[in-house]
Amino acid sequence: MTIVAKKLAGIGQYGLWVARFVRAVITHGPPKGQTLHEAYRIGVKSLPILVIISAFVGTNLALQGYNAFKPIGGQRLVGMFVALAGVREMAPIIAAAMIAAKAGTEMASQIGIMRIREQIDALEVMAVNPLAYLVAPRMIGIMLMLPALTIIAIFVMLTAAYTVSVYQLGLPGHEFIHFASEIIEPVDFLYGAIKAMFFGLIICTISCYHGFHCTKGPEGVGAATNRAVVTSSVICIVLNYFVSELLYGGAL
Amino acid sequence: MINQTPRLVLGICGRVFGARTRPRQNELDTLRCPTMLNSLANIGRFGNFSAQIAVRVGRRPFFYREIIAQLWSTTTQCVLPVMAVTFPFGMVMALQGLEIFRMFGAERMLSSLISIATLRELSPVLASVLVAAQGGSSCAASLGAMRIKEELDATEVMAVDSIKFHVVPRVIAMTIACPLLNIAGSIAGVAGGYFTAVYIKHESGGIFLTELWAFMGPMDIYGGLIKTTIFGLTIGLISCYHGFRATGGAAGVGKAVNDTVVHSVVAFITLNYFLTSALFGAVAP
């Protein structure tokens, strides 16, 4: 019972924290100065890792699609499978999970260290709102960069899948492109970007929340970082279903 | 002149790679060299660390209690996140898969596609991502905190091998826990697909369950388990490496956790491609 009560209390605290954050952003206006720096740190520093991961996810999508459709003689449909699974679901999820693992943990540990070194208290003493000064630039940075990273991930994934299916599986390349382009519509990129912005919002608020409520000592920072990455990736994937249902499930 | 030649060569090599020719004494361990050389050095250190673990695995005493305690804590920590991730992914697969199969009027195929995709690929990868995020990072955090508080040094002073007592049980526990969590993840993934297909999209539940094993071979089940065992070993080694080498106070622990998650995810997703090619035989006929 106490565990359930604690979890519920945590959700409530998170909600209150987000409300305070929104109020801080509204009263203090747009953040100045740091936003581009944060965007660079979140986006450009994570790009190499994202490219590696999405390339290998793309290769595996092609392999598994080939294996799944081979028993019914439909191995030519690999392009369609990769386009559907990769563009719509895997690319936004992989980008979000990678950003949660790289930038989210960095946010949580940076803010957590500021908390235990009492730098956040120092900011408050200087009448600077820490939520507007520390969290808002990161929020804008991640919401700018995550859609871009998602679209890069889509292209890398498709290129890798094409390479594997032509050079490893020996399928004709023009059929891959034909079936893929039949499935992919321009609006898919927009939906991917919408999903990514949504995920960015969640990753940033959860990571910064855990950083802000970090307890003393080295274990505190470690635990905060740990909880930040697990909670944000689980919530992103759970919410992905509802966003997909909303965007693709015929509700719109 | 002859005596100067090796130094000259070293100096030129150093300039080419951008390394400082003569490292300062206190920097010898963390050579301040640019990224490439540094990451190569890290790979070497990681290999060295793994070898030290490998040497100690077969040697007495085996700390059974420590292994079981670590296994229990890793499994209980990770089982809920893993199932919470694979369940919605199964739901999404059913949602998108139905759209394809309805084009061809082949809704019957849905469940065999879901079960194959989940058992072979999705559940191993997602379970390992979550094990890296939850188990690996908490392992790195606890080892890093022990290093910062000099508890590891205290263990050494008490004539207990710190790698043997703290690191080996964690690596073994991670290697065993990952396949177990993969089983839980696979069950949750297929259940998620069933939930969407039957209760939301109103397909027939009986057909779903009949077709579930239509294309399934024994290799599909063992393949996922073999893969996750290797992924678990990778995650355990990487997380213990980063935790064991943490320096510089609380910030060092945060960095160790961050590096653990990123490096282990990159490592096992790269391995995954080669394992999939090898296990499921996807080569041009």
Side-chain angles (χ1 to χ4, degrees):
Chain A
M1 193 55 217
T2 46
I3 297 174
V4 178
K6 257 186 194 168
K7 294 270 174 217
L8 283 177
I11 294 171
Q13 264 187 349
Y14 169 70
L16 284 177
W17 186 83
V18 171
R20 262 195 293 148
F21 168 64
V22 172
R23 200 175 62 198
V25 169
I26 292 171
T27 49
H28 289 259
K32 302 169 198 77
Q34 288 188 325
T35 310
L36 274 183
H37 181 65
E38 293 296 339
Y40 171 76
R41 276 235 297 254
I42 292 165
V44 181
K45 290 273 177 74
S46 313
L47 187 61
I49 287 168
L50 185 82
V51 168
I52 296 175
I53 298 243
S54 46
F56 280 102
V57 169
T59 57
N60 272 47
L61 276 177
L63 290 183
Q64 297 296 355
Y66 178 80
N67 272 329
F69 287 114
K70 210 176 155 196
I72 52 170
Q75 56 277 53
R76 291 158 58 227
L77 295 180
V78 167
M80 183 184 266
F81 177 76
V82 170
L84 194 73
V87 174
R88 289 188 175 181
E89 302 298 336
M90 289 309 272
I93 281 288
I94 288 294
M98 265 339 284
I99 294 297
K102 179 115 177 64
T105 51
E106 228 171 62
M107 277 179 208
S109 68
Q110 278 170 353
I111 294 183
I113 289 162
M114 287 183 200
R115 165 64 77 198
I116 63 174
R117 287 184 185 156
E118 303 181 352
Q119 289 167 342
I120 291 180
D121 304 314
L123 276 181
E124 276 177 358
V125 168
M126 291 191 289
V128 177
N129 189 328
L131 290 168
Y133 185 72
L134 294 174
V135 182
R138 289 177 164 81
M139 173 78 91
I140 295 178
I142 203 169
M143 285 179 66
L144 280 178
M145 292 320 262
L146 199 49
L149 289 174
T150 304
I151 288 170
I152 292 173
I154 290 176
F155 279 105
V156 173
M157 213 173 255
L158 286 176
T159 317
Y162 177 83
T163 314
V164 161
S165 49
V166 173
Y167 295 106
Q168 187 181 346
L169 304 174
L171 301 173
H174 61 91
E175 279 187 354
F176 183 95
I177 293 177
H178 172 74
F179 281 114
S181 57
E182 224 170 53
I183 283 287
I184 301 175
E185 287 167 18
V187 78
D188 284 338
F189 293 99
L190 180 68
Y191 286 169
I194 291 173
K195 270 188 184 181
M197 285 181 92
F198 206 60
F199 294 157
L201 207 74
I202 290 161
I203 291 168
C204 181
T205 49
I206 288 181
S207 304
C208 291
Y209 167 79
H210 282 300
F212 256 80
H213 294 80
C214 167
T215 48
K216 287 274 176 195
E219 299 101 336
V221 178
T225 322
N226 178 346
R227 261 180 276 136
V229 57
V230 175
T231 322
S232 49
S233 46
V234 168
I235 290 184
C236 280
I237 294 182
V238 172
L239 277 180
N240 176 48
Y241 171 74
F242 296 103
V243 181
S244 280
E245 174 80 53
L246 200 69
L247 294 177
Y248 297 113
L252 285 181
Chain B
M1 187 59 208
I2 300 287
N3 284 342
Q4 293 294 313
T5 317
R7 279 189 73 173
L8 204 68
V9 172
L10 265 183
I12 291 168
C13 289
R15 283 290 141 74
V16 170
F17 289 113
R20 209 177 275 159
T21 37
R22 264 187 306 160
R24 271 182 237 129
Q25 197 58 42
N26 58 351
E27 277 181 2
L28 269 178
D29 192 36
T30 54
L31 269 172
R32 276 276 180 80
C33 33
T35 342
M36 196 180 90
L37 214 55
N38 209 353
S39 49
L40 278 178
N42 269 328
I43 291 173
R45 288 194 199 109
F46 175 67
N48 191 355
F49 183 75
S50 313
Q52 285 183 16
I53 293 173
V55 166
R56 285 165 172 82
V57 166
R59 234 185 248 165
R60 284 172 189 283
F62 308 112
F63 295 104
Y64 294 113
R65 280 171 183 240
E66 188 70 12
I67 294 176
I68 289 171
Q70 291 297 337
L71 183 60
W72 176 250
S73 75
T74 311
T75 323
T76 45
Q77 268 177 354
C78 297
V79 68
L80 263 182
V82 166
M83 292 176 82
V85 160
T86 47
F87 189 83
F89 229 97
M91 290 169 76
V92 169
M93 245 189 319
L95 193 74
Q96 301 278 16
L98 266 179
E99 198 175 317
I100 287 197
F101 287 125
R102 277 195 176 143
M103 275 196 259
F104 307 110
E107 289 95 336
R108 292 180 72 88
M109 298 272 306
L110 179 71
S111 68
S112 26
L113 178 79
I114 287 179
S115 62
I116 281 199
T118 310
L119 283 173
R120 276 185 180 173
E121 196 67 39
L122 274 173
S123 167
V125 168
L126 286 175
S128 308
V129 168
L130 264 290
V131 170
Q134 172 70 277
S137 69
S138 75
C139 174
S142 68
L143 271 180
M146 278 191 211
R147 168 63 76 201
I148 302 294
K149 288 179 168 175
E150 303 180 352
E151 288 171 13
L152 291 178
D153 302 314
T155 326
E156 292 277 350
V157 167
M158 289 191 287
V160 177
D161 189 345
S162 63
I163 293 187
K164 177 81 198 164
F165 185 70
H166 291 299
V167 175
V168 172
R170 284 184 163 81
V171 175
I172 294 176
M174 204 71 86
T175 314
I176 302 173
C178 209
L180 292 180
L181 291 164
N182 172 40
I183 296 172
S186 310
I187 294 170
V190 174
Y194 182 84
F195 182 80
T196 301
V198 176
Y199 294 111
I200 295 180
K201 296 289 172 187
H202 305 296
E203 294 293 319
S204 152
I207 290 180
F208 190 99
L209 290 179
T210 322
E211 297 284 319
L212 200 54
W213 308 104
F215 297 128
M216 189 77 73
M219 203 50 212
D220 293 322
I221 295 169
Y222 300 137
L225 293 181
I226 293 168
K227 270 206 241 181
T228 40
T229 314
I230 295 171
F231 296 166
L233 182 64
T234 317
I235 295 167
L237 287 176
I238 290 179
S239 60
C240 288
Y241 170 74
H242 283 300
F244 203 72
R245 289 179 46 84
T247 46
V253 178
K255 190 175 178 310
V257 173
N258 185 340
D259 283 351
T260 297
V261 180
V262 173
H263 291 176
S264 45
V265 171
V266 170
F268 72 70
I269 287 199
T270 314
L271 273 177
N272 186 24
Y273 164 65
F274 298 105
L275 283 174
T276 302
S277 296
L279 288 172
F280 304 122
V283 202

